[in-house]
Coordinates of all heavy atoms in Angstrom, one line a residue:
D1 N -8.0 2.1 8.6 CA -7.5 2.1 10.2 C -7.0 0.6 10.5 O -6.0 0.5 11.2 CB -8.6 2.5 11.0 CG -9.1 4.0 11.0 OD1 -8.1 4.8 10.4 OD2 -10.1 4.3 11.3
Q2 N -7.7 -0.3 10.0 CA -7.3 -1.6 10.2 C -5.9 -2.0 9.5 O -5.1 -2.8 10.1 CB -8.3 -2.7 9.8 CG -9.6 -2.6 10.8 CD -10.6 -3.7 10.4 OE1 -10.4 -4.7 10.5 NE2 -11.7 -3.3 9.6
M3 N -5.7 -1.6 8.4 CA -4.6 -1.8 7.6 C -3.3 -1.1 8.4 O -2.3 -1.7 8.4 CB -4.7 -1.3 6.2 CG -5.6 -2.0 5.5 SD -5.8 -1.3 3.8 CE -4.1 -1.7 3.0
L4 N -3.6 0.1 8.9 CA -2.4 0.8 9.5 C -2.0 0.0 10.6 O -0.7 0.1 10.9 CB -3.0 2.2 9.9 CG -3.0 3.4 8.9 CD1 -3.6 4.6 9.5 CD2 -1.6 3.6 8.3
E5 N -2.7 -0.6 11.4 CA -2.4 -1.4 12.5 C -1.4 -2.5 12.1 O -0.6 -3.1 12.9 CB -3.5 -2.0 13.2 CG -4.4 -1.0 14.0 CD -5.7 -1.5 14.6 OE1 -5.8 -2.7 14.5 OE2 -6.3 -0.7 15.2
Q6 N -1.5 -3.0 10.8 CA -0.6 -4.1 10.4 C 0.5 -3.6 9.3 O 1.1 -4.5 8.9 CB -1.6 -5.0 9.6 CG -2.7 -5.8 10.5 CD -2.0 -6.9 11.1 OE1 -1.2 -7.7 10.7 NE2 -2.7 -7.2 12.3
F7 N 0.6 -2.4 9.2 CA 1.6 -2.0 8.1 C 2.9 -2.4 8.4 O 3.7 -2.7 7.4 CB 1.5 -0.4 8.2 CG 1.2 0.1 6.8 CD1 -0.2 0.2 6.3 CD2 2.1 0.6 5.9 CE1 -0.6 0.7 5.2 CE2 1.7 1.2 4.6 CZ 0.3 1.1 4.3
E8 N 3.4 -2.5 9.6 CA 4.7 -3.0 9.9 C 5.0 -4.3 9.4 O 6.2 -4.8 9.3 CB 5.0 -2.8 11.4 CG 4.2 -3.9 12.3 CD 4.5 -3.6 13.7 OE1 5.5 -3.9 14.3 OE2 3.5 -3.1 14.4
H9 N 3.9 -5.1 9.2 CA 4.2 -6.6 8.9 C 4.2 -6.9 7.5 O 4.6 -7.9 7.0 CB 3.1 -7.4 9.7 CG 3.1 -7.3 11.1 ND1 4.0 -7.6 11.9 CD2 1.9 -6.9 11.9 CE1 3.6 -7.4 13.2 NE2 2.3 -7.0 13.2
V10 N 3.7 -5.9 6.7 CA 3.3 -6.1 5.2 C 4.5 -6.5 4.3 O 5.6 -5.9 4.5 CB 2.6 -4.9 4.6 CG1 3.4 -3.7 4.5 CG2 2.0 -5.3 3.3
E11 N 4.4 -7.5 3.5 CA 5.4 -7.8 2.6 C 5.0 -7.6 1.2 O 5.8 -7.3 0.3 CB 5.8 -9.3 2.7 CG 6.4 -9.7 4.1 CD 6.7 -11.2 4.1 OE1 6.6 -11.9 3.1 OE2 7.2 -11.6 5.2
Q12 N 3.7 -7.5 0.8 CA 3.1 -7.5 -0.5 C 1.8 -7.0 -0.4 O 1.0 -7.2 0.4 CB 3.1 -9.0 -1.0 CG 2.7 -8.9 -2.4 CD 3.0 -10.3 -3.1 OE1 4.1 -10.7 -3.2 NE2 1.8 -11.0 -3.6
F13 N 1.5 -6.0 -1.5 CA 0.2 -5.5 -1.8 C -0.1 -6.0 -3.2 O 0.7 -5.9 -4.1 CB 0.1 -4.1 -1.8 CG 0.0 -3.4 -0.3 CD1 1.1 -2.8 0.4 CD2 -1.2 -3.3 0.3 CE1 0.9 -2.2 1.6 CE2 -1.3 -2.8 1.5 CZ -0.1 -2.3 2.2
Y14 N -1.3 -6.4 -3.3 CA -1.9 -6.7 -4.5 C -2.9 -5.8 -4.9 O -3.9 -5.7 -4.1 CB -2.3 -8.2 -4.6 CG -2.8 -8.6 -6.0 CD1 -2.2 -8.8 -7.0 CD2 -4.3 -8.8 -6.1 CE1 -2.6 -9.3 -8.2 CE2 -4.8 -9.1 -7.3 CZ -4.0 -9.3 -8.5 OH -4.4 -9.8 -9.6
F15 N -3.0 -5.0 -5.9 CA -3.9 -4.1 -6.3 C -4.7 -4.5 -7.6 O -4.0 -4.7 -8.7 CB -3.3 -2.8 -6.6 CG -2.6 -2.1 -5.5 CD1 -1.1 -2.1 -5.3 CD2 -3.3 -1.5 -4.4 CE1 -0.4 -1.4 -4.4 CE2 -2.5 -0.9 -3.3 CZ -1.1 -1.0 -3.3
A16 N -5.9 -4.7 -7.4 CA -7.0 -5.0 -8.4 C -8.1 -4.3 -8.1 O -8.3 -3.4 -7.3 CB -7.1 -6.5 -8.5
G17 N -9.2 -4.7 -8.8 CA -10.3 -3.8 -8.7 C -11.7 -4.6 -9.0 O -11.8 -5.8 -8.9
G18 N -12.5 -3.8 -9.8 CA -12.3 -2.5 -10.3 C -10.9 -2.2 -11.0 O -10.3 -3.1 -11.4
E19 N -10.6 -0.9 -11.1 CA -9.4 -0.6 -11.7 C -8.5 0.3 -10.6 O -9.0 1.4 -10.5 CB -9.6 0.3 -13.0 CG -8.4 0.9 -13.7 CD -7.3 0.0 -13.7 OE1 -7.4 -1.2 -14.3 OE2 -6.1 0.3 -13.3
P20 N -7.6 -0.2 -10.2 CA -6.8 0.3 -9.1 C -6.1 1.6 -9.4 O -6.0 2.6 -8.5 CB -5.7 -0.7 -8.7 CG -5.5 -1.5 -9.9 CD -7.0 -1.6 -10.5
I21 N -5.7 1.9 -10.7 CA -4.9 3.1 -11.1 C -5.9 4.3 -11.0 O -5.3 5.4 -10.9 CB -4.4 3.0 -12.5 CG1 -3.6 1.7 -12.6 CG2 -3.7 4.2 -12.8 CD1 -2.3 1.7 -11.6
I22 N -7.2 4.2 -10.9 CA -8.1 5.3 -10.8 C -8.8 5.3 -9.2 O -9.7 6.1 -9.2 CB -9.2 5.3 -11.8 CG1 -10.1 4.1 -11.6 CG2 -8.5 5.3 -13.2 CD1 -11.4 4.2 -12.6
M23 N -8.2 4.6 -8.4 CA -8.7 4.6 -7.0 C -7.9 5.4 -6.1 O -6.7 5.2 -6.0 CB -8.8 3.1 -6.5 CG -9.9 2.3 -7.1 SD -10.0 0.7 -6.4 CE -11.0 -0.2 -7.5
E24 N -8.6 6.3 -5.4 CA -7.8 7.1 -4.4 C -7.2 6.3 -3.3 O -6.0 6.5 -2.9 CB -8.8 8.1 -3.7 CG -8.2 9.1 -2.8 CD -9.1 10.0 -2.1 OE1 -10.3 10.0 -2.6 OE2 -8.7 10.8 -1.3
E25 N -7.8 5.2 -2.8 CA -7.2 4.3 -1.8 C -5.9 3.7 -2.1 O -5.0 3.5 -1.3 CB -8.1 3.2 -1.5 CG -9.6 3.7 -0.9 CD -10.6 4.0 -2.0 OE1 -10.2 4.0 -3.2 OE2 -11.7 4.0 -1.6
H26 N -5.7 3.5 -3.4 CA -4.4 2.9 -3.9 C -3.3 3.9 -3.7 O -2.2 3.4 -3.2 CB -4.7 2.6 -5.4 CG -3.3 2.5 -6.1 ND1 -2.9 3.4 -7.1 CD2 -2.3 1.6 -6.2 CE1 -1.8 3.2 -7.6 NE2 -1.3 2.0 -7.0
Y27 N -3.6 5.3 -4.0 CA -2.5 6.2 -3.8 C -2.3 6.5 -2.3 O -1.1 6.8 -1.9 CB -2.9 7.3 -4.5 CG -2.9 7.1 -6.0 CD1 -4.0 6.8 -6.7 CD2 -1.7 7.0 -6.8 CE1 -4.0 6.6 -8.1 CE2 -1.6 6.8 -8.2 CZ -2.8 6.5 -8.8 OH -2.8 6.2 -10.1
R28 N -3.3 6.2 -1.6 CA -3.1 6.6 -0.1 C -2.1 5.5 0.5 O -1.2 5.9 1.2 CB -4.4 6.4 0.6 CG -4.7 6.9 2.1 CD -5.9 6.8 2.5 NE -6.1 7.3 3.8 CZ -7.3 7.4 4.5 NH1 -8.5 6.9 3.9 NH2 -7.5 8.1 5.7
I29 N -2.1 4.3 -0.1 CA -1.2 3.2 0.4 C 0.2 3.4 0.0 O 1.1 3.5 0.7 CB -1.7 1.8 -0.1 CG1 -2.9 1.5 0.7 CG2 -0.5 0.8 0.1 CD1 -3.6 0.0 0.1
L30 N 0.3 3.9 -1.3 CA 1.7 4.2 -1.9 C 2.2 5.3 -1.1 O 3.6 5.3 -0.8 CB 1.5 4.5 -3.4 CG 1.0 3.3 -4.3 CD1 1.4 3.8 -5.8 CD2 1.9 2.1 -3.9
K31 N 1.5 6.4 -0.9 CA 2.1 7.5 -0.1 C 2.5 7.1 1.4 O 3.5 7.7 1.7 CB 1.1 8.6 0.0 CG 0.8 9.3 -1.4 CD -0.2 10.4 -1.3 CE -0.5 11.1 -2.7 NZ -1.3 12.2 -2.6
E32 N 1.8 6.3 1.9 CA 2.0 5.8 3.3 C 3.4 5.0 3.3 O 4.3 5.2 4.1 CB 1.0 5.0 3.9 CG 1.2 4.6 5.3 CD 1.3 5.7 6.3 OE1 0.9 6.9 6.1 OE2 2.0 5.4 7.4
L33 N 3.6 4.1 2.3 CA 4.7 3.4 2.1 C 5.9 4.3 1.9 O 7.0 4.0 2.3 CB 4.6 2.3 1.0 CG 3.6 1.3 1.1 CD1 3.4 0.4 -0.1 CD2 4.2 0.2 2.2
D34 N 5.7 5.3 1.0 CA 6.8 6.2 0.6 C 7.1 6.9 1.9 O 8.3 7.3 2.2 CB 6.2 7.3 -0.4 CG 7.3 8.2 -0.9 OD1 8.4 7.8 -0.9 OD2 6.9 9.2 -1.6
R35 N 6.1 7.4 2.7 CA 6.5 8.2 4.1 C 7.4 7.5 4.9 O 8.2 7.9 5.6 CB 5.1 8.7 4.6 CG 5.3 9.5 5.9 CD 4.0 9.8 6.5 NE 3.5 8.6 7.2 CZ 3.9 8.1 8.5 NH1 4.8 8.9 9.2 NH2 3.4 7.2 9.1
R36 N 7.0 6.1 5.0 CA 7.8 5.2 5.9 C 9.0 4.7 5.2 O 9.7 3.9 5.9 CB 6.9 4.0 6.3 CG 5.6 4.4 7.1 CD 4.9 3.2 7.6 NE 3.7 3.5 8.2 CZ 3.2 2.8 9.3 NH1 3.9 1.7 9.6 NH2 2.0 3.2 9.9
K37 N 9.2 5.0 4.0 CA 10.4 4.5 3.1 C 10.5 2.9 3.1 O 11.5 2.3 3.2 CB 11.7 5.1 3.8 CG 11.8 6.5 3.6 CD 13.1 7.1 4.0 CE 13.2 8.6 4.0 NZ 12.7 9.3 2.9
M38 N 9.2 2.4 3.0 CA 9.1 1.0 2.9 C 9.2 0.5 1.4 O 8.3 -0.2 1.0 CB 7.9 0.4 3.7 CG 7.9 0.8 5.1 SD 6.2 0.4 6.0 CE 6.2 -1.5 5.6
Y39 N 10.2 0.9 0.9 CA 10.4 0.5 -0.6 C 10.7 -1.1 -0.9 O 10.6 -1.4 -2.0 CB 11.6 1.4 -1.2 CG 11.3 2.9 -1.0 CD1 12.1 3.6 -0.3 CD2 10.2 3.5 -1.4 CE1 11.9 5.0 -0.2 CE2 9.9 4.7 -1.2 CZ 10.8 5.6 -0.6 OH 10.6 6.8 -0.4
H40 N 11.0 -1.8 0.2 CA 11.1 -3.2 0.0 C 9.8 -3.9 -0.1 O 9.8 -5.1 -0.6 CB 11.8 -3.9 1.2 CG 10.9 -3.7 2.6 ND1 10.8 -2.5 3.2 CD2 10.1 -4.6 3.2 CE1 10.0 -2.6 4.2 NE2 9.5 -3.9 4.2
V41 N 8.7 -3.3 0.1 CA 7.4 -4.0 0.0 C 7.1 -4.3 -1.5 O 7.2 -3.3 -2.3 CB 6.2 -3.1 0.6 CG1 4.9 -3.7 0.4 CG2 6.4 -3.0 2.1
R42 N 6.7 -5.5 -1.8 CA 6.5 -5.7 -3.2 C 5.1 -5.4 -3.6 O 4.1 -5.5 -2.9 CB 6.6 -7.3 -3.4 CG 6.7 -7.7 -4.9 CD 6.7 -9.2 -5.1 NE 6.9 -9.5 -6.5 CZ 6.5 -10.7 -7.0 NH1 6.2 -11.7 -6.1 NH2 6.7 -11.0 -8.2
L43 N 5.0 -4.6 -4.8 CA 3.7 -4.1 -5.2 C 3.4 -5.1 -6.6 O 4.2 -5.0 -7.5 CB 3.8 -2.6 -5.6 CG 4.5 -1.7 -4.6 CD1 4.4 -0.3 -5.2 CD2 3.5 -1.7 -3.5
I44 N 2.2 -5.6 -6.6 CA 1.7 -6.4 -7.7 C 0.3 -5.8 -8.2 O -0.4 -5.5 -7.3 CB 1.5 -7.8 -7.2 CG1 2.9 -8.4 -6.9 CG2 1.1 -8.7 -8.5 CD1 2.8 -9.8 -6.5
Y45 N 0.2 -5.6 -9.5 CA -1.0 -5.1 -10.0 C -1.7 -5.9 -10.9 O -1.1 -6.7 -11.7 CB -0.7 -3.8 -10.8 CG -0.2 -2.7 -9.8 CD1 1.0 -2.5 -9.3 CD2 -1.2 -1.6 -9.5 CE1 1.3 -1.5 -8.4 CE2 -0.8 -0.5 -8.8 CZ 0.4 -0.4 -8.3 OH 0.9 0.6 -7.4

């Protein structure tokens, strides 16, 4: 909920863990970025 309030500002996500590829939260973010067509946001893993 706190992240959603800041989504319009985001330039970069860094995914680590744990192991991000097996985390549901990671895919929640990617789907939200996809929904908003925010493909300019840099993804680092």
Side-chain angles (χ1 to χ4, degrees):
D1 291 340
Q2 293 183 70
M3 290 177 70
L4 281 178
E5 295 177 359
Q6 293 279 331
F7 240 77
E8 63 182 293
H9 304 299
V10 67
E11 294 181 3
Q12 180 171 300
F13 279 106
Y14 181 75
F15 297 106
E19 171 49 45
I21 304 302
I22 64 173
M23 292 183 187
E24 183 177 355
E25 295 89 347
H26 158 250
Y27 295 94
R28 197 173 186 181
I29 290 172
L30 293 194
K31 288 180 178 180
E32 182 66 19
L33 290 171
D34 187 25
R35 186 185 72 81
R36 299 182 184 218
K37 301 188 184 306
M38 294 174 65
Y39 302 122
H40 65 281
V41 173
R42 191 180 185 199
L43 309 178
I44 301 178
Y45 288 78

